[in-house]
Amino acid sequence: MAKAGGGLIWATAEDLARSRPVVLSMYRQILRALNSPALPLGHAARLAKKAECRAIFIFGAEERSLHNIQDLLDAARHTLGLLNRGRLP
């Protein structure tokens, strides 16, 4: 494990196990929000947005840096907030 400034920067198995349910929950919430009829999306655009979301989370699933995992969650929370207000990210 690498250390920076006295803190660990790489996720341990325990860190990954702790963040996994949070990441899955955010992924599901974003997919549900994309199904909202309040969003001005046609069927094809909605499927494209879902595919984009899936690709981001699949790429993020390989991440082992604590900082990058936190950044992914922050971006997901921001995106979810926009979607819940009927705006597209």
Side-chain angles (χ1 to χ4, degrees):
M1 279 191 215
K3 290 187 177 192
L8 297 175
I9 61 170
W10 300 113
T12 63
E14 181 180 308
D15 294 328
L16 293 175
R18 192 173 335 125
S19 66
R20 182 175 175 83
V22 176
V23 172
L24 286 174
S25 173
M26 290 302 268
Y27 174 67
R28 289 182 187 124
Q29 288 178 50
I30 289 173
L31 288 182
R32 271 189 242 116
L34 284 170
N35 280 332
S36 171
L39 292 176
L41 291 174
H43 183 66
R46 198 173 303 274
L47 289 177
K49 284 290 186 186
K50 286 181 180 182
E52 183 181 341
C53 177
R54 189 174 305 113
I56 290 169
F57 275 88
I58 287 173
F59 178 72
E62 301 298 320
E63 191 55 58
R64 297 292 180 246
S65 165
L66 291 174
H67 300 291
N68 291 347
I69 292 170
Q70 188 60 44
D71 287 345
L72 175 67
L73 289 173
D74 290 342
R77 285 184 189 103
H78 177 71
T79 298
L80 188 58
L82 289 174
L83 290 171
N84 286 338
R85 284 180 266 158
R87 296 173 50 201
L88 293 174

